[in-house]
Amino acid sequence: MTKMFTVAEMVLRDLARRRTVLGLLFLLPLGFYAARHDQTGQAIRFASLGLGWGASTAGLFSSNSAKSVEPRLRLVGYSWVTLLVGRLVALLLISWTIAAAYFLLIYFDQDIQRPGALAVMLALTAAIAVPLGMLIGALVPRDLEGTLVLIAFVGVQMAIDPAKDSAKYLPFWSSREIGTYIVDPVGDDYLQRGLQHGLGVTAGLILFAAVVTAIRLRRRKHIHVLTQPVPAGTR
Amino acid sequence: MWTSEHSGEAPDRRPQAGGHMMSPPRPVRLRATGISKKFGRRQVLSNVNFEVRAGEVAAVIGSNGAGKSTFLNICAGLISPTSGQVEVNGSVGYCPQVGGTFDFLRPSEHFVLFGRGDGLKRGVALARGNEMAALLGWSPDPKVQSRHLSGGTRQKLNVILSTLGGHDILLLDEPYQGFDRGTYTDFWEVIWRLRDSGHTIVVITHMLNAMDKVDQVLDLTPTGNERNR
């Protein structure tokens, strides 16, 4: 656990020093939110998508910047699980902090029927976005390719009719279901579907990211560690 | 063959650990057997054999593209060979040629991060890091991030991080790029000290004047038909 917290601490320190990045992470959802401010439901959904885009971009860049160092950290004794979870925890903390700020903004700015569901939606969006960005970062060789993949994801998510069946295959579909539940007098089934989808996508993305990370940071088969003791005086 | 292995023949100017030549054979710490590596259709390494013992310094030399870094990465277990195996007797520290650090973290934070991986407590990691830095004539500014360090100082940081855990085997990929003359001398003092305390050090180098300071040399320079690979 100590090692995991050390990784998380260093990821947080690294991100905290990128002040422009942090500023943009906070401002991005605001732009989305302001663009649809007059329509409560749309404003909430777009703020959520802006949060998702920002958090996944942070995940992508953070993963890519660690790619050259992580094999070295693996060599000095970190497990791939520690490296993955440490980064995930740090990025989630930052994303949930931004989500909390937007919860307060929307709560005081809009007429919300179900504020608890709003908190769930924003937290869930961040929880989906972080492993999504980390997964893309693990799969693509460089930031540019990853950014293009991410733009494609979010662009399609915003352009597609959310009522279509195919929309369910996109990562942030849950925000539409929970968003409807927040502002409209609909049944609990909307919240339930949104939660199921969001949690399922989050778990799937974390699992996929774990598999890719485990492969990338695997111990190579050609290395054979001998247990022959080294005589005293030669250490 | 371009996988020659021979002992350095120049006069031994290293500090002697008493009875070094008289002591029984030291255990093999690293043995690479039949290492070959292809990138696509390009053969980079072909049947390289190499063995280095505790208390020895080995240099890996060769022209550009000869596969020196590839060989070291294979020995560190960072990439797989096409064929061959590496036997390791002890823990491995690795210093890359470039990168290997986080731009926005300070040297002290790197000491803690790498030290924790090695099982060191925060205070011990910091103390060891600063001690090693002093040996290389460097006093890290506590507020400077590694992206603001000069190339040579950044490489000092890399060297320190590879030695922090007191690993039995050190694999150093052109560690003194950007070092000034004084630091270069300090670096070899550190290497000798480590060697005399039983560590095994493998150094990739282009600097021929380093050859007279090592126990053996692995020359990966291609010859004949392999020259154009």
Side-chain angles (χ1 to χ4, degrees), chain A residues 140-155:
Chain A
V140 300
R142 283 168 293 272
D143 288 336
L144 179 60
E145 289 90 332
T147 308
L148 291 171
V149 172
L150 211 50
I151 288 171
F153 259 116
V154 180

Side-chain angles (χ1 to χ4, degrees), chain B residues 99-138:
Chain B
T101 56
F102 288 106
D103 282 351
F104 286 80
L105 292 186
R106 296 165 178 159
S108 59
E109 290 161 347
H110 281 93
F111 298 159
V112 172
L113 179 63
F114 279 73
R116 284 285 200 193
D118 284 319
L120 304 177
K121 289 187 174 173
R122 184 176 292 255
V124 175
L126 282 169
R128 275 202 197 173
N130 286 320
E131 189 183 319
M132 274 297 297
L135 289 175
L136 292 174
W138 176 40

